[in-house]
Each structure stands twice: as C-alpha cells, then as structure tokens.
C-alpha cells in the first residue's frame, strides 16, 4: 500500500508545480586581470651569515634580526671565552640583533662544558 502511494501521481500537485516559475541569475563574473590590485609585498632584508670554518654546516643567508643555529653557538662560545670583548652590545651590532634579545640569550642560554675529574678523586666518589 505504501509503495502504491509513492508511485501514485497527484494531479492537484502537478498542476500547482506547473504554475511555479523560478528564475535564477548569477552575479556577473569579474575577471581578475591583476592590474592595480597588487599591493607591494614586504621584502625581507637578509644578511650573509658569519660562520667561518663551519660554513658548510648551516644556511648561507638569514633575515636581519635573526641568527642561525651555528651562529648562536659561536656567539655564545665567544662570549663565554672572552666576555670582555664579546659584550651584548657588540654581539647585537655584529649580528644585527636587538640588545634586549641578546641580553636574554646570554643570560638564559649557556653552552655546555665538559669537566673531567682527576683520577685520585674518583675513588672518593
């Protein structure tokens, strides 16, 4: 009985559908020609890295205001070995960094040191 109701035509609904008229219009398509709408893109200023003999291990150019991993290790080691020469101000100027960031870097990041105990104190441990 349900199948029969599904396939049965309802003449009243068919006449109502014939009276319905739908008109649809899409907005006119705009062609992007690329003229005049381009904004100048911000070019990032880069600098060559100061790597010395470790140049093959790292990138060659970094954005100004940033340093590479090898440069960070080198400047931390230089500061550790010669803090009177490699001050935060000199490092900031040499690597184009902000003084506040260099001061934080020198304060919170310390390179590891390997300490070897003399043999006679090993027995005491």
């Amino acid at each position: 009985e349900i199948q029969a109701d599904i396939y049965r035509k309802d003449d009243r609904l068919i006449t109502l559908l014939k009276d319905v008229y739908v008109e649809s219009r899409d907005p006119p398509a705009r062609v992007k020609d690329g003229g005049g709408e381009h904004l100048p893109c911000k070019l990032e200023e880069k600098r060559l890295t100061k790597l010395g003999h470790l140049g093959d291990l790292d990138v060659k150019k970094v954005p100004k205001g940033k340093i590479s991993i090898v440069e960070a290790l080198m400047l931390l080691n230089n500061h550790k070995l010669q803090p009177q020469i490699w001050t935060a101000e000199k490092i900031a100027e040499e690597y184009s960094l902000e003084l506040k960031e260099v001061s934080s870097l020198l304060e919170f990041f310390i390179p590891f040191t390997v300490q070897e105990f003399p043999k006679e104190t090993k027995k005491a441990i």
Side-chain angles (χ1 to χ4, degrees), residues 75-121:
L75 75 86
L76 288 171
N77 192 42
N78 288 343
H79 177 73
K80 180 181 164 190
L81 297 175
Q82 300 171 331
Q84 66 280 4
I85 296 174
W86 289 97
T87 61
E89 292 82 14
K90 182 176 178 182
I91 293 171
E93 181 184 326
E94 186 78 21
Y95 291 94
S96 303
L97 301 171
E98 290 187 27
L99 182 61
K100 183 180 79 169
E101 293 174 352
V102 173
S103 300
S104 297
L105 180 73
L106 295 176
E107 181 181 352
F108 296 111
F109 292 95
I110 302 166
F112 289 107
T113 58
V114 178
Q115 293 182 350
E116 197 171 311
F117 292 105
K119 292 183 180 183
E120 56 269 1
T121 58

